[in-house]
Amino acid sequence: MDVEIVGRLLSTLPEDDDHPYRTGPWRPQTTEWRADDLEVVDGEIPADLDGVYLRNTENPVHPSLKNYHPFDGDGMIHVVGFRDGKAFYRNRFVRTDGLMAEMAAGSALWAGVSEPPELAARERGWGARERMKDASSTDVIVHRGMALSSFYMCGDLYQVDPFTAETRGKETWGGKFPFEWGVSAHPKVDDHTGELLFFNYSKQDPFMHYGVVDADNTLAHYVDIPLPGPRLPHDMAFTENYAILNDFPLFWPAEALAKGRHIPRLHRDIPSRFAVIPRRGQTSEIRWFEAEPTFVLHFTNAYEDGDEIVLDGFFQGDPEPADNGMGNKWERAFRFLALDRMQTRLHRWRLNLATGQVKEERLTDSITEFGMINSGHAGRPYRYTWAASGKPGWFLFDGLVRHDLHTGTEERLSLGEGVYGSEAAMAPRVGSTGEDDGYLITLTTDMNADASYCLVLDAARVSDGPVCTLRLPERISSGTHSTWADGAELRRWRTADTAAEAVGL
């Protein structure tokens, strides 16, 4: 393995840190690496694997002002690239405005998720920022050959080179980017049309917008999605002809907001609502559907079936877990991040456009989340979801589950005690002929070996274990959202950009 340190950020985190989401599997990194010809620990890199796996990670550099939340960390992109039976690794911090300001100051300047917004002003003086920092640390997608990192509370989309992980600036969509509202995490790319679909939300009326960026990277559509009040949507879905937004009954109570308290509560007497809008439809064309109260962090897919829209996602049986006294203080404090406490199970809603009725069914009894599909089937009928299982009581992934939605069967892989994975992206093999004809890629944090690995698995035979295990330069922090980008497609955009630069475009 050819390894080089290309950067290191100065951290001010305490040496005696005891926060479980800044230590152990969540110990943040400060070093940025360039590693070529990754060491193959076991197996062989498939010759028909061509592309890059990207993962975003919350990776704090400075201690919080008071109470650290796992979603407060600065964004770091990890890249593992494959071609011709070889692999490379890169990791870089996303150079957000917030990170650069805090690096210059040598300390945190913003309040986090678990802190009141005015704390920054109180702690740091009038020059501090009162709104939450846009860390761009939640999600990562690839559109038109460029990776885009995003933040769950809405913000800028930072352009990241998918090969080097270097920040290239902010996406502007020709100056039409909705800078006042920003864009939420989980924008969607339709591989068939080249469009990017997105939403945003805020505490300002109408509380949500929905937009479409066309294949030429132009903001082509942007409309209001009126809601009864401020909400906390996290994901969306789409079909060939529709986009599906949501209004779940887990949100900030109005009386608490009036006092500056941002603590979401589940309103059990309010139904879940889904907004179905034609992909370039107007506000007046929205159809609302009511369903059982819950909260859904992530959807897996949606598609049209006659008069119905089939929508799949992870229903939370207990979106607001009570403090039952079980576990230590940290387990109780962050119980709402543990999959077993939230009771997240794969669920299906059928929204009938002709009758307005909603039918629901649980697709599995297994507790999983962070499901990924073959992106070529996004918005279309599909069969497989590859999801993560969670360590009881903690926000850590301890295995992978392949859900077959046609047969209802599951195939599992346990990573083993003390080993934690990332969201697994599905990488179709070169010349793929089937939905599961390819590989799963994930990164692990192995506390036993004090090391991290990239695992490559056969997507059709998950329980067989890795077909290839690659060693990374150091043990990386646990993390979540990921994506896969096809190598030939990336090179096509890179060639097009180079040609455009040559003629002054």
Side-chain angles (χ1 to χ4, degrees):
M1 181 164 54
D2 178 14
V3 180
E4 175 188 3
I5 295 175
V6 296
R8 181 176 284 127
L9 269 65
L10 179 62
S11 173
T12 59
L13 292 172
E15 293 185 4
D16 59 347
D17 200 347
D18 66 346
H19 198 295
Y21 289 101
R22 288 193 312 228
T23 57
W26 286 95
R27 181 191 68 189
Q29 295 164 262
T30 58
T31 302
E32 298 174 317
W33 297 90
R34 179 199 62 78
D36 294 322
D37 293 327
L38 291 183
E39 176 189 350
V40 179
V41 177
D42 188 40
E44 184 176 348
I45 300 174
D48 55 0
L49 181 58
D50 180 9
V52 297
Y53 170 91
L54 300 103
R55 192 198 80 175
N56 205 345
T57 305
E58 289 94 354
N59 197 92
V61 177
H62 302 294
S64 55
L65 297 176
K66 187 176 181 180
N67 300 315
Y68 178 72
H69 187 282
F71 295 168
D72 290 341
D74 299 288
M76 175 180 280
I77 301 295
H78 301 261
V79 176
V80 181
F82 301 87
R83 191 181 185 188
D84 298 331
K86 295 183 178 181
F88 67 84
Y89 170 77
R90 306 284 189 270
N91 70 304
R92 300 287 187 275
F93 281 96
V94 183
R95 262 58 177 185
T96 63
D97 292 346
L99 174 62
M100 302 317 292
E102 290 185 336
M103 290 304 297
S107 64
L109 296 174
W110 280 267
V113 174
S114 301
E115 300 170 326
E118 66 273 12
L119 179 64
R122 191 163 66 240
E123 293 288 324
R124 297 293 186 245
W126 292 110
R129 285 79 171 166
E130 292 192 25
R131 67 185 298 275
M132 186 180 295
K133 179 176 66 173
D134 174 8
S136 204
S137 56
T138 308
D139 192 21
V140 60
I141 62 168
V142 174
H143 184 230
R144 291 171 49 89
M146 180 65 71
L148 301 172
S149 62
S150 55
F151 188 53
Y152 78 105
M153 288 292 282
C154 298
D156 295 313
L157 294 180
Y158 280 86
Q159 297 177 327
V160 176
D161 187 297
F163 291 108
T164 68
E166 295 174 350
T167 307
R168 298 299 189 192
K170 300 177 184 179
E171 180 58 80
T172 67
W173 294 330
K176 294 184 178 181
F177 188 90
F179 291 104
E180 182 180 358
W181 283 61
V183 169
S184 173
H186 301 303
K188 305 297 182 183
V189 176
D190 187 338
D191 288 353
H192 296 269
T193 67
E195 294 171 313
L196 182 151
L197 314 179
F198 71 93
F199 69 98
N200 56 30
Y201 61 98
S202 81
K203 292 182 286 185
Q204 303 171 358
D205 185 63
F207 307 112
M208 184 189 287
H209 295 106
Y210 156 71
V212 180
V213 177
D214 65 20
D216 294 326
N217 212 38
T218 300
L219 180 58
H221 191 66
Y222 189 64
V223 296
D224 297 349
I225 307 293
L227 298 175
R231 295 295 189 264
L232 296 169
H234 187 72
D235 200 1
M236 64 172 291
F238 70 92
T239 70
E240 290 187 61
N241 296 295
Y242 298 96
I244 303 100
L245 291 309
N246 56 78
D247 172 12
F248 290 118
L250 182 74
F251 55 84
W252 300 310
E255 59 274 16
L257 276 182
K259 298 177 182 179
R261 298 176 60 194
H262 294 72
I263 302 175
R265 290 289 179 257
L266 179 66
H267 300 75
R268 299 181 185 275
D269 57 338
I270 299 177
S272 299
R273 298 199 306 154
F274 297 104
V276 176
I277 183 172
R279 280 177 50 158
R280 300 209 183 186
Q282 300 302 314
T283 303
S284 60
E285 298 179 82
I286 298 172
R287 295 278 306 278
W288 286 99
F289 295 82
E290 294 188 354
E292 291 296 315
T294 186
F295 186 79
V296 176
L297 198 62
H298 301 114
F299 297 100
T300 55
N301 199 16
Y303 61 90
E304 296 161 34
D305 182 15
D307 290 332
E308 293 183 324
I309 288 177
V310 178
L311 174 66
D312 294 347
F314 293 94
F315 184 103
Q316 293 185 5
D318 190 0
E320 192 181 28
D323 183 356
N324 56 12
M326 296 179 62
N328 60 36
K329 67 174 183 177
W330 296 115
E331 288 178 87
R332 296 196 302 273
F334 294 104
R335 61 190 180 275
F336 46 86
L337 295 178
L339 304 187
D340 63 317
R341 295 301 306 274
M342 294 186 293
Q343 293 289 296
T344 56
R345 293 182 173 92
L346 199 54
H347 195 82
R348 173 165 288 175
W349 296 263
R350 286 185 171 271
L351 315 178
N352 194 304
L353 296 171
T355 67
Q357 293 183 327
V358 177
K359 296 180 181 178
E360 301 186 51
E361 63 175 313
R362 180 185 290 182
L363 297 180
T364 175
D365 289 330
S366 297
I367 294 176
T368 59
E369 236 282 7
F370 291 81
M372 299 287 275
I373 67 169
N374 181 324
S375 66
H377 290 257
R380 274 76 177 166
Y382 76 120
R383 179 172 179 173
Y384 303 106
T385 292
W386 293 269
S389 59
K391 178 180 179 179
W394 294 96
F395 185 34
L396 290 165
F397 302 157
D398 62 3
L400 295 169
V401 180
R402 175 184 185 261
H403 295 284
D404 185 331
L405 304 183
H406 286 187
T407 65
T409 58
E410 299 173 356
E411 193 175 326
R412 290 179 167 268
L413 174 70
S414 171
L415 295 174
E417 186 68 28
V419 182
Y420 307 106
S422 310
E423 190 174 60
M426 195 281 175
R429 72 176 77 239
V430 176
S432 172
T433 58
E435 184 181 345
D436 63 346
D437 184 17
Y439 304 96
L440 285 188
I441 316 294
T442 190
L443 303 182
T444 64
T445 300
D446 188 330
M447 299 302 296
N448 307 311
D450 189 25
S452 278
Y453 303 94
C454 175
L455 306 185
V456 180
L457 303 105
D458 186 329
R461 303 174 63 88
V462 171
S463 60
D464 286 357
V467 299
C468 179
T469 301
L470 306 167
R471 185 186 299 273
L472 303 186
E474 72 169 326
R475 194 184 89 210
I476 68 174
S477 170
S478 183
T480 52
H481 287 305
S482 70
T483 193
W484 171 261
D486 176 75
E489 183 71 3
L490 288 179
R491 292 189 293 273
R492 182 177 72 84
W493 282 107
R494 187 60 57 93
T495 300
D497 289 343
T498 301
E501 291 175 4
V503 295
L505 296 178

